[in-house]
Amino acid sequence: KPILIGETATNEDPDDPQRKAQWLRAMADVLAGGKLPMIKGIVYFNQAAPDFCDRYWNSTEASAAVFAEIAVDPFFNPQSAETGGS
C-alpha cells in the first residue's frame, strides 16, 4: 500500500547552519531517487512550538533555498512538469 508521511520536520543546528538544508536535500534525494517507492506523499510540519524548537522550512536562507528547489522539482510537483511550470 502507498505510504503518506503526515508530519516531518527538523530544527536548525546552532553548531552547523547548513545542517537543516543538508537534511532537506538528503530527504529529497532519497525520495526522488526511488529508494522508498512506497512513499507517495510527505507533509512538512511548518510550525514552531514556544520554548521548544523552530520547525519552519524557511528558518535560514539555506533551508529556504533548498525547500524552494524541492518545491519546483517535477518529482515533488508533478503538476508543474505537466503544465510547463505554471
Side-chain angles (χ1 to χ4, degrees), residues 2 8 11 15 20 26 32 36 50 61 63 67 70 74 77 83:
T8 191
N11 56 312
D15 296 327
K20 183 174 188 172
L36 300 170
E61 286 185 33
S63 60
F67 199 92
I70 293 167
N77 189 353
T83 61

Side-chain angles (χ1 to χ4, degrees), residues 9-77:
T10 190
N11 56 312
E12 298 292 344
D13 179 347
D15 296 327
D16 183 354
Q18 296 297 315
R19 186 163 298 176
K20 183 174 188 172
Q22 292 166 348
W23 181 85
L24 288 165
R25 170 60 57 216
M27 179 183 65
D29 290 347
V30 166
L31 294 170
K35 295 176 183 169
L36 300 170
M38 296 305 291
I39 297 177
K40 302 297 184 189
I42 189 164
V43 176
Y44 189 86
F45 185 68
N46 191 45
Q47 183 174 348
D51 302 321
F52 182 61
C53 57
D54 185 356
R55 303 281 193 210
Y56 291 112
W57 60 270
N58 60 350
S59 51
T60 65
E61 286 185 33
S63 60
V66 171
F67 199 92
E69 289 173 30
I70 293 167
V72 297
D73 183 308
F75 180 83
F76 296 100
N77 189 353

Side-chain angles (χ1 to χ4, degrees), residues 72 74 77-86:
V72 297
N77 189 353
Q79 212 171 41
S80 176
E82 292 171 7
T83 61
S86 48

